[in-house]
Amino acid sequence: MDSTLIVDTPERALLRQAVGQLVGSYGHSYWADCASRRAETTELWKDLGAAGFLGVHLSAEYGGGGGTMTDLAVIIEETATQGCPLLMSVISPAICGTILDKHGSAEMKTRWLPGIADGSLKMAFAITEPDAGSNSHMVSTTAHPDGNGWRISGTKYWTSGIDKVHAVLVVVRQPEPGPNGKHPLSLFVVPTDAPGVSWTPIPSAVHEPEGQFMLFFDDVTVGPEALIGVEGQGLRQVFAGLNPERITASCISNGIARYALNKAVRYANERQVWNTPIGAHQGVSHPLAEAYIGTQVARLTAYRAAELYDLGLEAGEASNIAKFVSADSSLRTLDQAMQTHGGNGMSLEYGLADLWFIARMLKTAPVSREMVLNFVAQHSLKLPASY
Ligand SMILES: Cc1cc2nc3c(=O)[nH]c(=O)nc-3n(C[C@H](O)[C@H](O)[C@H](O)COP(=O)(O)OP(=O)(O)OC[C@H]3O[C@@H](n4cnc5c(N)ncnc54)[C@H](O)[C@@H]3O)c2cc1C
């Protein structure tokens, strides 16, 4: 499938090619092997970091590349296009890296950003709780002031990859409600080896190297150096990471779609059931052509959102639209690629079936399609909220 887009500058086309070559040398079988063992993609992650790909969008002063969200979007899409969709690339560099870059103290940036950029450090992101998913205002993990610092207690849910990271960016509430009756939120960086931090796996159908966990904070003591930005301003600060999260999650969806389509086209050209390759039957070629159109449209929405973000313009609507369109389109494309493979679509050997749940998951996380529709209904169309 054609990798170029009208937004690709010559430099971006070279970036795309370089990422494709690096990740292509690992390929889907490497990712699938790590995923089946829930093992880290250590070698690939190290190479991506060494090439400057993980921190491309972070400040050069703190070890980043001083580039843009569009550069990171290209890198994450191209990585998934090689059959290696890395959820951790959305979490550690795109969400955590961006929030720290925008709101962290100089000391905090010096401590974490160079490692996030070169891949030697990874950070998980914990906002979801058993009773607070779509509604972040319900977060009940609490930071109780304690002398110079805080004691954090509570439970997080679906924290991807917590067993493989050095720290977690955690969203907590203050014990006392503010004047509007809601508890102000704050953000902390907590090392995963801090006393009182523990986790237990959530058995999940999603085939991915990261793994999913319930995360417990049992009276975890943190000092002032752990607070990101301003106490009680967590909701505003977390927004710094939400558009990058949606944009790069879209790129994972679109990369999976391109990977699946590439495989389907190859198979449709080779597989002969009667006296012609199956791709000659319009029952096979038209759905693939439609999947190609859907994928290209989805990619445009993702790059449009990244471009708005890079220009410092309002990117909320565009990022939500990209997330919505890309997740749906990717799942349809993967489904069609599996259909094109007949029974082999279900065989792990053909490297499609194991991507099903990661593509499906992107309809629900990091933000569900219903919450995107709520955003568009309320903010773009100015319709009243139901909640
Ligand atoms: C594989 C995986 C990895 C994840 N990784 C992370 C991570 O690293 N860190 C993290 O913090 N979280 C993570 N999550 C959590 C994810 O962000 C949440 O699952 C997601 O935000 C949905 O929240 P929920 O599961 O609580 O669903 P709920 O909020 O309980 O919603 C249930 C259903 O109701 C719908 N719904 C709810 N409210 C409304 C409404 N007002 N209008 C219409 N529909 C509504 C939702 O769209 C959804 O379909 C992950 C989840 C998965 C599955």
Side-chain angles (χ1 to χ4, degrees), residues 8-27:
D8 271 353
T9 56
E11 293 77 22
R12 286 234 174 83
L14 285 175
L15 174 65
R16 204 177 272 290
Q17 199 182 13
V19 178
Q21 268 168 9
L22 190 160
V23 186
S25 70
Y26 286 89

Side-chain angles (χ1 to χ4, degrees), residues 91 125 127-128 133-134 158 160 212 361 364-366 368 370 374 387:
I91 296 165
F125 178 63
I127 183 166
T128 307
S134 306
W158 293 107
S160 300
Q212 300 302 325
M361 177 274 283
T364 304
S368 72
E370 292 77 20
N374 283 334
Y387 51 93

Side-chain angles (χ1 to χ4, degrees), residues 361-382:
M361 177 274 283
L362 287 161
K363 270 177 89 166
T364 304
V367 59
S368 72
R369 69 197 300 286
E370 292 77 20
M371 292 314 290
V372 172
L373 293 172
N374 283 334
F375 179 94
V376 170
Q378 289 160 34
H379 297 278
S380 311
L381 304 179
K382 312 284 182 228

